[in-house]
């Protein structure tokens, strides 16, 4: 819909009128760049969007997991063990938040005949049998519950209940089920429920769209361990010395004990939360919806689950899209070290990109972005820095910023273009002695409430992330010592860089119920199934080497593979770039037609918001003031979602969930006081303000973005009447 964004929020580049969606909810590092539009009538608070991402960025040493069964290695091929229980339970009038475990199992025999085209009424019949009803959050979809065995190898041992949402195809005939396979593991699939019409209306006409919450996540169990997670993440995961690594190992071991205990489920039951069992869940769901072919759209961890399903049930798959792909052959420790190296690489490239871009470089002159980063890192390595931080109440609080927080912020900030740009702007401000912008980004990206300084880890299930990851990869050979030694080598290779990414999956070294590390599965090479692989060389969640390895293995096996290679960009690209979207849709609607690979170029940096003049005397021109005020608002990591903040030099600001902006004695630079407000229009992605300015400059201004990349400014400034 007009005005909707892809990602955590619309960031409008005023000078170019360009839409720059930020991440929303991001899985994985656990980040997962999700590409769903925000809706003006249901705005999402960025605090949750960014919280999910940033926590994510601490633990994706295994954003995806391998298809290792709990009791034995899985069989492969069309005759893999299918769900065998009798029939799905029904629950009418289902909300996406109503998930609880329980009920009876369901499914049909895997040998049922499969048609290339599934008539819509077969899906409709399946939905009717499930007692599906319009979803509360999106009535175009039908929500239902599907009961599946806890252990598909022994279906009589009990069931659990999955939350499912389906939008039947609008057209006369369907090309089958288009199954959205979400990332994490730990993000809810139903939170991504969307008809994708904003991407291409043919999608909703052509496919029965299916979303589901992975077993244990949100509506499919709601497993959480927030207290244990807060203790694990609380002091950061940076460890550059032997003592720090020993302390981190102790915290990881405590978390491995405390998280399963907080979940409140027997360890023996948690052992069945792995990717192989989840793949059987998908098959159970396919049969409940008519038994036709599926097209799997997997993102990040979802690529792991998609590959596992296609390996177990190849005869049931029409096509596979792997966006931000996982290489199944990598050990967990190999994944972890590649993450650390990827963060180092993209951080270096981000700093270099700024130094090569005149507007960005100007804010660091005569120094460089790279030298400024190193100087700040060295300063914080020596000791934390105190700063006066403005609160939304109008009060001030003394806070600190340290090297661990800088590491975490940088790890998250390099995730995608918008965050890289905001990080660079905040880094440049430190040259003026201003640490408030950097502290604010660290809070926003770390899910920290500025008033209470408490972290909110909602929006992502750390419980499921670690349960699935550790069950899939097993306890690393050599235990915590081997894991720490491998990460220490990564740290030593780039001592001045951000160094926490490698350590995220350390709890798996002692995770209860996880088996010893087993041999990795064979390469993904399904015979006859068209596969599209989308990968970016700036991906810090599933490093580009993984996508390249997946493509190479598919080609070596003679599989039908097509690749979209992105230079720049971020993790999970479908839905955030026109070049990627066009090539993806060509594949989606005609996957069997041979075509060449596609190369897409995406900027590494999203935009440049230059620093505002440092003193009030620099605003003698009203257009300079107007442009700076708009830039300062867009530089807030949560704007324009509902939030309140303390302005950098005093006063307060607020934007509500509808886009109404209020500024009260707000000073973004000492000596200028701004009162007034305005409105952010979600439909046009434009900002209109009416403000009164006092102090070193005086005026009453009306400021409007014109939708073409410029500003319209009118009113009075220092006694002169302005002409538009």
């Amino acid at each position: 819909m007009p005005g909707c964004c892809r990602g955590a929020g619309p960031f409008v580049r005023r000078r170019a009128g360009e839409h720059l969606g930020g991440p929303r909810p991001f899985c994985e590092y656990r980040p997962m760049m999700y590409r769903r539009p925000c809706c003006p009538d249901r705005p999402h608070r960025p605090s949750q969007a960014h919280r999910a991402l940033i926590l994510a960025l601490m633990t994706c040493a295994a954003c995806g997991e391998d298809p290792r069964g709990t009791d034995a290695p899985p069989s492969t091929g069309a005759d893999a063990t299918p769900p065998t229980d009798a029939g799905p339970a029904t629950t009418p009038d289902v909300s996406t938040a109503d998930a609880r475990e329980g009920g009876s199992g369901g499914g049909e025999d895997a040998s049922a005949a499969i048609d290339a085209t599934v008539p819509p009424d077969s899906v409709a019949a399946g939905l009717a049998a499930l007692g599906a009803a319009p979803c509360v959050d999106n009535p175009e979809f039908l929500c239902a519950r599907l009961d599946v065995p806890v252990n598909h190898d022994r279906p009589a041992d009990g069931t659990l209940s999955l939350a499912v949402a389906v939008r039947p195809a609008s057209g006369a005939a369907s090309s089958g089920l288009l199954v959205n396979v979400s990332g994490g593991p730990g993000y809810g699939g139903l939170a991504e429920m969307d008809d994708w019409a904003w991407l291409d209306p043919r999608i909703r006409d052509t496919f029965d769209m299916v979303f589901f919450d992975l077993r244990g996540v949100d509506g499919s169990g709601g497993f959480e361990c927030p207290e244990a997670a807060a203790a694990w993440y609380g002091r950061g995961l940076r460890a550059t010395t032997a003592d720090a690594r020993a302390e981190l190992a102790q915290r990881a071991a405590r978390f491995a004990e405390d998280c399963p205990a907080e979940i409140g489920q027997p360890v023996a039951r948690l052992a069945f939360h792995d990717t192989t069992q989840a793949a059987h869940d998908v098959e159970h769901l396919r049969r409940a919806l008519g038994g036709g072919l599926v097209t799997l759209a997997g993102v990040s961890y979802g690529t792991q689950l998609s590959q596992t399903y296609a390996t177990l049930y190849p005869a049931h798959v029409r096509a596979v899209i792997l966006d931000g792909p996982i290489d199944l052959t990598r050990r967990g420790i190999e994944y972890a070290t590649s993450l650390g190296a990827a963060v180092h690489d993209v951080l270096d490239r981000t700093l270099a990109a700024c130094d090569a871009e005149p507007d960005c470089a100007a804010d660091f002159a005569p120094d460089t972005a790279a030298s400024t980063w190193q100087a700040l890192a060295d300063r914080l390595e020596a000791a934390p820095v105190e700063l006066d931080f403005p609160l939304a109440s109008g009060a001030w609080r003394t806070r600190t910023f340290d090297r661990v927080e800088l590491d975490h912020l940088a790890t998250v900030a390099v995730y995608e273009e918008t965050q890289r740009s905001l990080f660079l702007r905040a880094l440049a401000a430190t040259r003026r002695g201003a640490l408030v912008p950097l502290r604010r980004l660290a809070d926003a990206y770390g899910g920290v409430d500025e008033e209470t300084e408490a972290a909110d880890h909602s929006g992502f299930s750390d419980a499921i992330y670690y349960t699935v990851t550790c069950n899939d990869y097993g306890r690393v050979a050599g235990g915590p010592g081997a894991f720490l030694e491998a990460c220490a080598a990564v740290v030593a290779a780039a001592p001045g860089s951000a160094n926490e990414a490698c350590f995220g999956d350390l709890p798996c070294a002692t995770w209860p119920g996880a088996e010893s590390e087993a041999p990795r599965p064979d390469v993904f090479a399904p015979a006859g199934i068209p596969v599209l692989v989308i990968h970016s060389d700036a991906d810090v969640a599933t490093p580009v080497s993984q996508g390249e390895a997946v493509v190479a293995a598919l080609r070596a096996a003679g599989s039908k593979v097509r690749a979209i290679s992105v230079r720049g960009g971020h993790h999970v690209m479908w839905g955030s770039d026109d070049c990627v979207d066009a090539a993806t849709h060509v594949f989606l609607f005609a996957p069997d037609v041979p075509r060449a690979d596609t190369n897409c170029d995406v900027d590494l940096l999203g935009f440049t918001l230059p620093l505002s003049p440092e003193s009030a005397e620099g605003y003698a021109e009203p257009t300079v003031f107007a442009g700076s005020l708009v830039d300062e608002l867009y530089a807030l990591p949560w704007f324009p979602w509902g939030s309140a903040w303390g302005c950098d030099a005093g006063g307060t600001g607020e934007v509500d969930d509808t886009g109404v902006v209020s500024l009260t004695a707000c000073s973004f630079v000492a000596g200028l006081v701004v009162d007034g407000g305005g409105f952010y229009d979600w439909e046009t992605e434009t900002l209109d303000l009416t403000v009164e300015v006092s102090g070193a400059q005086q005026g009453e201004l009306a400021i409007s973005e014109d939708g073409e990349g410029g500003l319209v400014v009118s009113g009075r400034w220092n006694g002169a009447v302005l002409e538009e």
Side-chain angles (χ1 to χ4, degrees), residues 36-52:
R36 304 293 182 255
C38 57
C39 299
D41 59 337
R42 290 188 292 126
H44 294 268
R45 302 178 70 89
S47 51
Q48 285 200 354
H50 282 193
R51 287 166 190 161

Side-chain angles (χ1 to χ4, degrees), residues 554-647:
L554 286 164
R555 293 227 158 97
S559 299
K560 298 180 179 179
V561 59
R562 195 175 312 158
I564 301 176
S565 301
V566 179
R567 185 170 62 183
H570 49 258
H571 178 51
V572 179
M573 289 298 305
W574 183 21
S576 61
D577 177 73
D578 290 341
C579 172
V580 174
D581 294 353
T584 301
H585 298 164
V586 167
F587 174 86
L588 180 62
F589 295 111
D592 287 307
V593 178
R595 289 186 176 86
D597 292 345
T598 301
N599 296 312
C600 299
D601 289 327
V602 178
D603 290 341
L604 193 69
L605 306 183
F607 59 89
T608 297
L609 291 179
L611 291 177
S612 302
E614 191 171 1
S615 70
E617 288 70 27
Y619 297 89
E621 293 295 326
T623 52
V624 173
F625 170 82
S628 296
L629 176 59
V630 172
D631 283 351
E632 292 296 329
L633 290 174
Y634 283 129
L636 297 169
W638 50 78
F639 191 86
W641 273 272
S643 53
W645 64 94
C647 301

Side-chain angles (χ1 to χ4, degrees), residues 4 9 11-12 29 38 41 118 202 216 247 268 302 353 357 360 365 513 551 666:
C4 275
F11 290 85
V12 179
Y29 194 97
C38 57
D41 59 337
V118 180
R202 294 177 298 166
E247 189 273 337
E357 205 275 307
C360 187
V551 171
C666 176

Side-chain angles (χ1 to χ4, degrees), residues 319-607:
V320 179
I321 297 173
L322 304 176
D323 191 358
I326 306 297
D327 176 7
L328 304 186
T329 67
R330 293 200 182 189
R331 298 172 59 212
I333 200 166
E334 293 170 338
Y335 201 137
T337 54
S338 71
L339 283 178
V343 170
H344 299 165
D345 174 64
V346 178
L347 176 59
D348 288 347
R349 289 170 59 193
T350 296
L351 297 169
C354 177
D355 291 335
E357 205 275 307
D359 286 343
C360 187
D363 282 335
F364 291 93
D367 300 322
T368 64
S371 65
T372 301
W373 158 266
Q374 194 59 60
L376 179 62
D378 292 344
R379 177 186 177 191
L380 296 176
E381 193 76 64
V385 175
E386 286 192 347
L387 65 147
D388 292 326
F389 191 84
L391 302 177
S393 63
W396 294 79
R397 178 179 296 156
T398 299
R399 298 190 60 189
T400 61
F401 192 71
D402 61 27
R403 184 68 171 90
V404 172
E405 291 173 304
L406 179 65
D407 243 32
H408 180 59
L409 173 58
T411 299
V412 177
V414 299
Y415 185 80
E416 61 87 47
E417 302 91 299
T418 297
Q419 290 171 219
R420 294 172 197 141
S421 296
L422 292 181
F423 171 70
L424 288 167
R425 189 179 196 267
L427 181 63
T430 66
R431 296 186 65 258
R432 299 177 173 180
L435 283 165
V436 168
L438 214 57
R439 173 74 269 173
R440 179 175 285 132
L441 282 184
D443 287 345
Y445 293 169
V448 175
D449 186 292
E450 293 181 350
E451 293 286 332
T452 66
E453 298 184 38
D456 179 357
H457 294 177
S458 61
F460 182 87
S461 173
D462 297 284
I464 284 299
Y465 174 79
Y466 281 101
T467 298
V468 173
T469 299
C470 300
N471 285 340
D472 279 359
Y473 280 91
R475 298 189 180 200
V476 62
F483 199 108
L484 289 168
E485 183 179 352
C487 289
V490 174
V491 171
S497 190
N499 287 312
E500 72 169 27
C502 186
F503 297 99
D505 286 346
L506 182 57
C508 287
T510 58
W511 195 262
E515 299 177 357
S516 298
E517 187 175 23
R520 303 301 299 155
D522 293 336
V523 296
F524 176 60
I529 300 176
V531 180
L532 175 67
V533 178
I534 308 170
H535 54 86
S536 157
D537 72 359
D539 189 338
V540 294
T542 55
V544 66
S545 59
Q546 299 207 42
E548 292 170 343
V550 171
V551 171
L554 286 164
R555 293 227 158 97
S559 299
K560 298 180 179 179
V561 59
R562 195 175 312 158
I564 301 176
S565 301
V566 179
R567 185 170 62 183
H570 49 258
H571 178 51
V572 179
M573 289 298 305
W574 183 21
S576 61
D577 177 73
D578 290 341
C579 172
V580 174
D581 294 353
T584 301
H585 298 164
V586 167
F587 174 86
L588 180 62
F589 295 111
D592 287 307
V593 178
R595 289 186 176 86
D597 292 345
T598 301
N599 296 312
C600 299
D601 289 327
V602 178
D603 290 341
L604 193 69
L605 306 183
F607 59 89

Side-chain angles (χ1 to χ4, degrees), residues 10-220:
F11 290 85
V12 179
R13 185 167 64 187
R14 179 172 54 82
R15 289 169 182 78
E18 180 178 338
H19 163 69
L20 300 163
R24 171 195 158 192
F26 279 137
C27 145
E28 295 92 358
Y29 194 97
R30 290 179 312 240
M32 175 178 68
M33 166 65 81
Y34 271 126
R35 68 275 180 215
R36 304 293 182 255
C38 57
C39 299
D41 59 337
R42 290 188 292 126
H44 294 268
R45 302 178 70 89
S47 51
Q48 285 200 354
H50 282 193
R51 287 166 190 161
L53 153 69
I54 287 88
L55 290 177
L57 277 171
M58 297 180 65
T59 61
C60 194
C63 290
E65 325 328 314
D66 92 270
R68 179 180 55 78
T70 303
D71 298 321
S75 58
T76 59
D79 58 351
T81 303
T84 57
D85 45 326
T90 62
T91 304
D93 192 20
V94 178
S95 166
T96 58
D98 284 343
R100 296 290 185 273
E101 291 197 6
S104 59
E108 301 173 6
D109 186 81
S111 62
I114 301 169
D115 296 325
T117 299
V118 180
D121 59 359
S122 66
V123 172
L127 289 169
L130 291 172
C135 300
V136 172
D137 295 337
N138 189 340
E140 286 194 0
F141 281 77
L142 298 175
C143 279
R145 305 210 60 78
L146 176 67
D147 287 6
V148 299
V150 172
N151 177 6
H152 284 276
D153 294 327
R154 299 182 60 178
D157 286 355
T159 61
L160 57 81
S161 181
L162 302 180
V164 176
V166 181
R167 187 190 186 283
S170 301
S174 168
S175 292
L177 305 175
L178 178 57
V179 181
N180 180 80
V181 191
S182 297
Y187 286 104
L190 267 62
E192 293 301 301
M193 184 170 51
D194 175 53
D195 68 4
W196 293 355
W198 60 281
L199 270 174
D200 190 323
R202 294 177 298 166
I203 295 177
R204 65 177 178 180
D205 293 338
T206 306
F207 294 98
D208 301 298
M209 307 184 69
V210 180
F211 294 79
F212 66 97
D213 287 341
L214 187 74
R215 55 169 54 200
V217 176
D218 287 356
S220 297

